[in-house]
């Protein structure tokens, strides 16, 4: 599986190496992945900001209740409930986006080495051969039929 940081930092290099594989859908997958990554990062930031606000206000509510100023604490409690709902929604969205990112990453192949020729399997080249191809006086069976 490709590293999301590599895709984010060097998208053109990744696009170029994937184009060597000869399948156009990899470019579309890469574009979708980059868009989802931006959305994911924005959702992470939103959840963190909501959590920071909750952590900031929660002690204030406690102090107000201890001081007996329940009428001042009530609006903050309502705000915290609403904030909790927003946080739950944002976390669910973030989790959905992260699952889609993971699915796309699982469907992208590894980057081929620089010496790999462009195209699919038809473009493969024999780099070297070793020994002579054996000849038999019978029809050899494939390995899956031998066992």
């Amino acid at each position: 599986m490709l590293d999301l940081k590599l895709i984010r930092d060097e998208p053109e290099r990744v696009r170029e190496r994937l184009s060597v594989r000869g399948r156009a859908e990899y470019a579309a997958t890469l574009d979708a992945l980059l868009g989802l990554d931006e959305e994911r990062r924005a959702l992470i930031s939103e959840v963190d900001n909501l959590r920071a606000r909750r952590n900031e206000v929660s002690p204030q509510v406690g102090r107000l209740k201890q001081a007996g100023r329940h009428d001042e604490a009530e609006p903050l409690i309502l705000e915290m409930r609403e904030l909790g709902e927003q946080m739950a929604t944002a976390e669910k969205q973030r989790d959905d986006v992260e699952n889609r990112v993971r699915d796309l990453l699982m469907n992208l192949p590894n980057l081929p080495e620089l010496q790999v020729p462009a195209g699919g399997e038809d473009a493969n080249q024999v780099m070297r051969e070793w020994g002579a191809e054996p000849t038999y006086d019978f029809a050899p069976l494939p390995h899956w039929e031998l066992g």
Side-chain angles (χ1 to χ4, degrees):
M1 186 163 78
L2 293 177
D3 182 24
L4 189 55
K5 184 175 180 344
L6 171 70
I7 294 171
R8 185 182 318 120
D9 292 345
E10 301 179 51
E12 290 310 312
R13 179 178 153 239
V14 172
R15 185 182 317 281
E16 185 270 326
R17 293 311 309 150
L18 286 176
S19 70
V20 168
R21 290 198 176 260
R23 295 184 62 185
E25 64 264 17
Y26 293 148
T29 301
L30 190 64
D31 291 337
L33 191 58
L34 288 168
L36 283 174
D37 181 50
E38 281 188 30
E39 184 179 344
R40 177 185 145 272
R41 291 168 65 112
L43 286 167
I44 287 171
S45 177
E46 180 182 344
V47 168
D48 287 347
N49 290 338
L50 291 170
R51 189 172 288 126
R53 174 71 179 145
R54 181 186 65 186
N55 291 342
E56 175 186 319
V57 174
S58 291
Q60 292 175 1
V61 171
R63 283 193 297 272
L64 288 172
K65 281 188 166 191
Q66 265 185 337
R69 300 186 334 211
H70 294 285
D71 55 330
E72 292 178 37
E74 197 58 38
L76 291 176
I77 292 171
L78 292 175
E79 180 186 348
M80 290 302 100
R81 280 194 193 124
E82 185 179 311
L83 202 119
E85 292 170 4
Q86 290 174 355
M87 225 165 71
T89 303
E91 285 175 340
K92 182 174 179 350
Q93 288 175 339
R94 181 202 60 206
D95 291 344
D96 290 344
V97 169
E98 284 179 346
N99 287 335
R100 290 190 300 183
V101 165
R102 190 174 17 262
D103 289 344
L104 288 176
L105 282 172
M106 294 296 270
N107 289 318
L108 275 181
N110 288 332
L111 300 179
E113 292 290 326
L114 293 174
Q115 64 267 21
V116 173
E121 286 189 31
D122 299 338
N124 286 349
Q125 300 170 350
V126 175
M127 301 302 283
R128 75 189 125 167
E129 292 183 9
W130 180 79
E133 190 170 327
T135 57
Y136 304 101
D137 54 354
F138 58 91
L141 296 174
H143 72 276
W144 55 88
E145 291 182 13
L146 292 175

